[in-house]
Amino acid sequence: MKRWAAECLGTFGLVFAGTGAIVINSVSHGSITHVGVALTLGLIVLAMIYTFGDVSGAHLNPAVTMAFAVARRFSWREVPGYVLAQTVGAFAASVLLRSLFPSDEKLGATLPAGSTSQSFILEVILTFLLMTVILSVSTGAKEKGITAGIAIGAVIGLEAMFAGPICGASMNPARSLAPAVVGGHLHSVWIYLLAPVLGAMLAVPACCAFRETGCCSPSGSEGTGR
């Protein structure tokens, strides 16, 4: 229950601050700016990893949880509880933002600015890169684990900064599903449910190709993620 609570609270913090920055940027006529939104996403993930990483691994993302299970660093039996906790946290954040900003229509929902295929491919690649970083910094020398939050937060901020205007740079099904449902923007949500999972799964064999033998095995750590 403590691990589920950590995942719920961590994902709540991620969605509340991350999509909240987008909402406040909209209602304040751009006072935060796109760069500010990207930095907010990176910093809140960094903070949540250092807050909850030693409790639950701070996955904060169903795609990350499933990829850890595929990599045999996490038990499949625990996946449903983690995904449910992450989803509950994300929905709680979106419902709260709706009550605070009832006039905002999108609630920070991720929507394609271009074609569907363009956003799908971008989300796959972005999540692939993110999961590759997560798998790498969550194994090996102890010093890498200490700096994992910085590396993961930095890559999230970087990807949000350059790809956010096109695809939303979600990389997280829970982060996209909650504002889409609460805000009523469901027409493109499938992109952000499927593409991040696919990208995270592709990162597992890629990591095995350059990491030491046995990096993705039951003896590995459970890592930290978005």
Side-chain angles (χ1 to χ4, degrees), residues 6-8 15 34 38 50 57 60-61 75 87 90 93 99-100 114 144 146 150 163 165-166 193 203 207 219 225:
E7 285 297 305
C8 182
V15 175
H34 169 64
Y50 286 128
L60 316 180
N61 184 335
S75 171
T87 304
S99 67
L100 292 173
K144 293 178 69 175
I146 294 173
I150 298 173
I166 301 299
L193 299 181
C207 183
S219 61

Side-chain angles (χ1 to χ4, degrees), residues 37-60:
V37 170
L39 288 174
T40 299
L41 283 165
L43 290 172
I44 189 60
V45 169
L46 184 154
M48 294 299 98
I49 287 175
Y50 286 128
T51 302
F52 299 111
D54 60 341
V55 179
S56 67
H59 296 184
L60 316 180

Side-chain angles (χ1 to χ4, degrees), residues 68-75 214-222:
F68 270 128
V70 169
R72 294 182 294 168
R73 297 200 198 177
F74 191 70
S75 171
C215 72
C216 292
S217 67
S219 61
S221 63
E222 290 181 5

Side-chain angles (χ1 to χ4, degrees), residues 128-200:
F128 169 82
L129 294 174
L130 171 62
M131 193 68 211
T132 301
V133 171
I134 291 171
L135 288 169
S136 184
V137 300
S138 61
T139 189
K142 182 179 180 180
E143 290 76 12
K144 293 178 69 175
I146 294 173
T147 59
I150 298 173
I152 296 167
V155 75
I156 287 170
L158 171 66
E159 292 184 342
M161 199 172 298
F162 83 84
I166 301 299
C167 66
S170 169
M171 303 167 275
N172 186 332
R175 174 259 178 271
S176 288
L177 179 63
V181 172
V182 176
H185 297 278
L186 297 172
H187 55 282
S188 299
V189 71
W190 67 270
I191 297 172
Y192 305 99
L193 299 181
L194 296 180
V197 173
L198 177 59

Side-chain angles (χ1 to χ4, degrees), residues 20-100:
I22 298 172
V23 171
I24 293 172
N25 188 57
S26 175
V27 301
S28 64
H29 307 291
S31 64
I32 296 179
T33 74
H34 169 64
V35 173
V37 170
L39 288 174
T40 299
L41 283 165
L43 290 172
I44 189 60
V45 169
L46 184 154
M48 294 299 98
I49 287 175
Y50 286 128
T51 302
F52 299 111
D54 60 341
V55 179
S56 67
H59 296 184
L60 316 180
N61 184 335
V64 170
T65 296
M66 287 186 276
F68 270 128
V70 169
R72 294 182 294 168
R73 297 200 198 177
F74 191 70
S75 171
W76 278 106
R77 291 180 301 174
E78 295 196 55
V79 169
Y82 265 53
V83 172
L84 178 61
Q86 293 156 359
T87 304
V88 169
F91 269 90
S94 290
V95 169
L96 180 56
L97 286 170
R98 167 59 78 200
S99 67
L100 292 173

